[in-house]
Amino acid sequence: MTGSVLAAKYSAPLLLVEKDKLPSETSNVISKEMYYGYILGGEAVITNGLASEIKKQLMEAK
């Protein structure tokens, strides 16, 4: 996973999602422990709707 290099650089977690579903455990980490993040992969890996949902959670956490 190339995302692991980015995660290591910033001492950050690497959170995995399904293509169109955000697991509750991942959602909890985003809501409680994260203020910014990178979404890696195109639409073949993550839907635009899920990417938008994650971005919204990150903005609300600030």
Side-chain angles (χ1 to χ4, degrees):
M1 281 187 187
T2 57
S4 61
V5 175
L6 186 63
K9 179 179 178 178
Y10 292 106
S11 298
L14 182 61
L15 304 175
L16 302 176
V17 299
E18 296 178 31
K19 182 177 179 176
D20 59 356
K21 182 180 176 191
L22 183 62
S24 60
E25 297 87 358
T26 303
S27 180
N28 289 338
V29 170
I30 292 170
S31 296
K32 296 177 183 176
E33 302 176 26
M34 297 182 69
Y35 301 103
Y36 64 92
Y38 295 94
I39 297 174
L40 305 175
E43 283 188 66
V45 178
I46 183 170
T47 63
N48 284 333
L50 181 55
S52 294
E53 180 182 338
I54 293 169
K55 289 175 188 176
K56 182 180 175 187
Q57 280 190 352
L58 288 169
M59 289 183 359
E60 290 173 354
K62 289 184 179 181

